[in-house]
Amino acid sequence: MKLYCLSGHPTLPCNVLKFKSTTVMLDCGLDMTSTLNFLPLPLVQSPRLSNLPGWSLKDGNAFLDKELKECSGHVFVDSVPEFCLPETELIDLSTVDVILISNYHCMMALPYITEHTGFTGTVYATEPTVQIGRLLMEELVNFIERVPKAQSASLWKNKDIQRLLPSPLKDAVEVSTWRRCYTMQEVNSALSKIQLVGYSQKIELFGAVQVTPLSSGYALGSSNWIIQSHYEKVSYVSGSSLLTTHPQPMDQASLKNSDVLILTGLTQIPTANPDGMVGEFCSNLALTVRNGGNVLVPCYPSGVIYDLLECLYQYIDSAGLSSIPFYFISPVANSSLEFSQIFAEWLCHNKQTKVYLPEPPFPHAELIQTNKLKHYPSIHGDFSNDFRQPCVVFTGHPSLRFGDVVHFMELWGKSSLNTVIFTEPDFSYLEALAPYQPLAMKCIYCPIDTRLNFIQVSKLLKEVQPLHVVCPEQYTQPPPAQSHRMNLMIDCQPPAMSYRRAEVLALPFKRRYEKIEIMPELADSLVPMEIKPGVSLATVSAVLHTKDNKHVLQPPPRPAQPTGGKKRKRASDDIPDCKVLKPLLSGSIPVDQFVQTLEKSTHRPPVPFLLEQHGFSDIKVEDTAKGHIVLLQEAETLIQIEEDSTHIICDNDEMLRVRLRDLVLKFLQKF
Amino acid sequence: MDPECSRLLPALCAVLADPRQPVADDTCLEKLLDWFTTVTEAGSSLLLLQENPCLVELLFRVLKSQDLSSRILSFSLRLAGIFAAQEDCFQYLQGELLPMLFGEVGPLGGAAWTAPAVRSGWIQGLRTLAQHPSALRFLAACGAVDTIFSLQGDSSLFVASAAGQLLVHILDLAMRGPAEGRCSPQACDWPACAQKIVCHIEDSLCSIATPQVTQALNVLTTVFGHCHGLWTQGLWVRLSPLVARLLEKDPVPASHSLVDLLLSVARSSVPSSDRGLWETLAQTLSHLSPTQAGPLALGILKLQDCPQALRTQAFGVLLQPLACVLEAAAQAPGPPGLLGGAAGDPMTVDVLLCSKSACVGLLCCALTHLGLLQPLPQRPSPWPQAPLLGAAVTVLRLCSGSVAPTSDVGGRLCAILVGCGRVQRAALDFLGALSQGAGPQESVMQVFSVLLEYLMSPESSSMVLKKAFQATLRWLLSSPKTPGCCDLDPRTQLFLRELLPVLQKRLCSPCWEVRDSGLEFLTQMTRHWGGQAGFRQALLASEVPELTKQLLQDPESYVRASAVTATGQLSSWGLLAAPASPERPGAQQKSLLVELLHVLCADSEGFPRRAVMQVFTEWLRDGHADVAEDPERFVARVLQAASRDQDWEVRAQGLELALVFLGRLLGPRGSHCPCAVALPEAAPPGTLAQALPEAAPPGTLAQALQVLCRVQLFEFAFRALFDCDRPVAQKSCDLLLFLRAKAAPCGSPQEAGDSPNVASVEATLQRWQAGEQGQPLGYLEPGAVMAVLRSIDLEGLRDTLAESSDHVEKSPRSLLQDMLAAVGVLGENEADCY
């Protein structure tokens, strides 16, 4: 069993598991932090961005000034943003049989895998995952395609040139594999390969393994996966949450008794408690708006935004913010808000019960109804007519490199009355803000990450007790910035095995058993014999039939009666030799008694043709690693007694060998 | 005894002894016992029994009856004890009844003994009975002491504890008589009964079973806590070796009880005679685990008189956990820590690291104990203020994860403590307590920085924030004043500038508890610093006052109440509005008055309305500018709103406000003539000059009465006089009595005793008293009011109100009648409640 690790990002995993005869890809997350190296794509012509000076080498060489621009001491690539794909060279991705998706954030690289690697398998995901994943992809494609960029920079990627660049460009990894965003056509094609599944549904893969999605409590439709055969169980835990937010709670019980538990997607901000952060978010929002400032919340169109809106729904009246407009701007804003209301079966119990009242599960429906929350596909069109300040705007993309957020950053960045509040934990807010410097607006960092923290992981592992834990290397040591916080790492016994990008891990367990079915008529013919109380044995003669990874013992065909005079024999007619079988032996040989028997002549079996009646007097016993060697020096004979075999090495005296064999057999049971 | 009661008693005794008529209510039996105790305390029990033979008969019948409830049996045992407490009565009952009740032939051997109530009654009966030497002999004769020994291990904790106390009582009684004055540890000198008990205690102390050791220790703790005879010193001399031997065992058995005993002995008269006690205490301190030793150390340090070496050792025990934390978190060898440079005890370190619960428990105890010790006059001296500040700050930093210890122990401590709310709360409390002492400037800076860190951190829970606010307030208020300047010192001002934005954010928190704590903090800070220019400047430059005002509309009633108090306080100091425009000074504040009146009239919850009344009372007392403009109108409006309020506390506060108003008009309570209006001393500056125009110069009584009539204070007070809530009526009665007393010596202006107005007022009042309060009084003439005041029996009313509401029902006669009546109807309506 092997695990191929294709992604180095612990929360955007992409691993391939080879288990029995199947090749299963676990998630295909897309690392978008690479876009932070690029200049933002402004929706409206930005003189500031277009007039940034080109970057030149220390010696004044300015051959890169078309590709690289400088802003407040940072250098950015002036080109269409590119993404860092999972490893494609480590394993032939056309051999991947299935892809299991755990949540909509972890499928963003899907089009790259399904459309460009020769992949011919099936993708499994839950319905909300697919629908919201589609929205995220659609938004991404839309954000990038609606700001066409004539220029595509590639010179800087040259390894010799990259060396000369300032950090962080100099340290960016695998820049040659970075790719531009996929197209909507590729998205549609990739999504068409997905087969929808429900929680706890058992899916057979070629009869060899069974995969089952379980609720992971993190997002709508988010799942952990169980991959199991009859005797082995691998759990894949990715992006799970134990907090009570909108999704169905996490199913922990089903993860019990795993041989291996692959653990990814823990919280990216282990020191921040989501409740505290929500409080911080609300307080800062209220303070800004009261001062007449605007609040910008760069966010994804689904996920935490639902909880934030719910929280604000309860908060705005108490904070006296009822008259402040809330805007949600995204090409998929409408679909996201509406989708959230129709996936009732994927919601937590409280929200599910609302559906039967019937009421919308999320209170943002009421915010929309009362005109407190308005949503628009983009800043163009209706929005510009309705726009009223001070206001709160939720919009993407959290990287601040593309999407409507770029416009608001340009618009509001100059006033210290305004505030940008970062709630998505995927991007470093300082790096995200770098191309907007100098910036007057206030920046508040309230990352809300509801995924498991290390305390919860420790409890979870105690609860489900896997034999082995496998996780990204980042989880096996405290974060570099807080190296003294020994509680910010996975602590389990045996220690977790760690992996990093482009590493192949041999998972630490061997398959010992395979389930074999026995046909009823064959079972009928067995005659068990009790060899000790409670244990019966029977010999079986049968044909092992293996098809689709299923093994069946069938009765042996009867020996074909020779028909006619022709004795033609075809290979397929080969039948096992049905000779009379020797009895099977069981038991162990007690060496001391065996030696005594050898020494005592009276105990020797009467062998009429042997005159020699005295016993062996020169017996030596040696202990070996596997058992014992009994040495009959005079007779130049060795008897090797091991756990599962006995050898009598007696060169020239067949009679003696037979005699000794019989002696050995005396100590064993036969049937 | 009341003849009526005597008449009822036989019937009641018959009911009690009748198993077919069960008494439904246990409290009746308790009340009955209380009554008999009162009766026997007042007179002879023997006489009582002779005059009421039904009582003895009751006891006999109880003994004979087979199927009587355990509660009646228990009652009878206790009743017999009450009677037999007097020696002559004891002799009277001793012959037959007492052995049957308390001896082996009584309930002791029967099935009834399985009921804990019976065992408890048996013990309590004996406890009451054992008051004289005859009782001791009786106890010895009937073998009761052995039974008490066995009851010490009773399954019912109440019985077991009562048995222990009874033993102490018997021991005390036995030693009080002939043995008093002796303190010889020699057993042969002691009465047999005492010897028996002491031998039992000795055996128990030597037992290998911890429960028995615990029982013995608990008995001894009570002995040294409650018995003050000289013999206790002898007892200690005799038993102390056995107690000391307990320390040799590992682990020390019953350590909690041992600590209690040692502290009890140390507080008694024993130490004056036995200096070895201090040695035992020292040994105990070193033998017990750090967690067990903490309470003992605290107890030792609270003792008034104790050797310095022991105090030092005890203080060391309390400091150990913090010393270990300081040592573990130290980045580099620093100045000598809490223990004067000595290394932390490895055992304490082990406890700290062995598990989260042990670590948290030990640290919380250490912090709490030291916090309790801090304000005591006998606290250790020199008090290590600076290292303790350092330790509290370090603990808080470990809990917030903001310190990066390099040592292994420090790293593990950090992992255990990070995010631990219990330790955070304890450390913040302790830090607050430390504000009473000064500290080096550097430490104080650290304190303020860690407090600010906690107040800012989104990770701080609401409880932690509350504690952080409280600690901050204590530190701020204790910060030194700059010499020669009455304003805040520059460091505090700097801190305020950082603090106010945090407070601002906390007032916007979605968690109501946080908003509430923030407002309370603001109120307290303003109360103390409202006059400090530095504070005023910082506050007015922030948005805090505006936010506070907005919180008057908060959805949570507690927050609204706190906002009312806070805005009231801010307004008193003129801090609510932005600098008022020259054309309309105080325009903002006026609107606050209207807003608060609106809260008083319209808020659905009681808390905000009560808060408004308190603010208004304070405003009136302090001569708040808005009130001073037209106090009459103000009082009239407030009283009108308060009189309609459903909440009795609001109405009572209305009377408080009325009293303040009266004080301003007529002079304060206590002075007899309205010759001066006292101005409050703690009024905010600037408002004094605008005190009530009517009050200064003082008008005549007639004028004052006119004013009171105009604001309809009398209607409010008379209505309150017949309020269904007693405290309101009482307060109103006091007010009217005060008013009458004020008016009386000044002569009666324009008496109108016979005017038709008076008659109609009296008629209305009678209707009000009867519960028909719909009709208003209308406008009253001062003369009519005074006449009505004189005609009402206010003193009588005050006395009636002073009685508790059930005083009629509490009489013994009523009790007996009720019990009989309850039994009579019990069969028909079992669901009927007493």
Side-chain angles (χ1 to χ4, degrees), chain A residues 19 81 165 251 277 390 444 481 597 635 669:
Chain A
F19 181 30
L165 304 182
D251 178 355
M277 287 302 159
I444 306 287
T597 314
Q669 287 179 314

Side-chain angles (χ1 to χ4, degrees), chain A residues 616-634:
Chain A
F616 298 98
S617 57
D618 53 350
I619 304 171
K620 266 190 159 180
V621 180
E622 281 174 26
D623 288 347
T624 64
K626 289 180 176 175
H628 307 275
I629 293 176
V630 179
L631 188 63
L632 309 178
Q633 288 175 338
E634 213 173 277

Side-chain angles (χ1 to χ4, degrees), chain A residues 271-273 276-280 282-284 286-287 290-291 311 315 317-319 484-487, chain B residues 400-401 403-405 411 414-415 418 456 458-459 504-506 508-510 515 543 547 550 554-555:
Chain A
T271 51
N273 158 24
M277 287 302 159
V278 169
E280 199 74 0
C282 290
S283 308
N284 283 300
L287 274 177
R290 278 198 175 126
N291 270 334
C311 190
Y315 177 70
D317 287 336
S318 74
H484 66 289
R485 295 283 298 268
M486 301 305 285
N487 55 334
Chain B
S400 68
V403 71
C414 183
V418 78
M456 279 170 149
E459 299 299 304
Q504 211 164 291
K505 198 173 75 183
R506 292 303 180 190
C508 294
S509 167
R515 301 197 295 273
E543 292 160 55
L547 276 173
Q550 282 182 10
D554 200 274

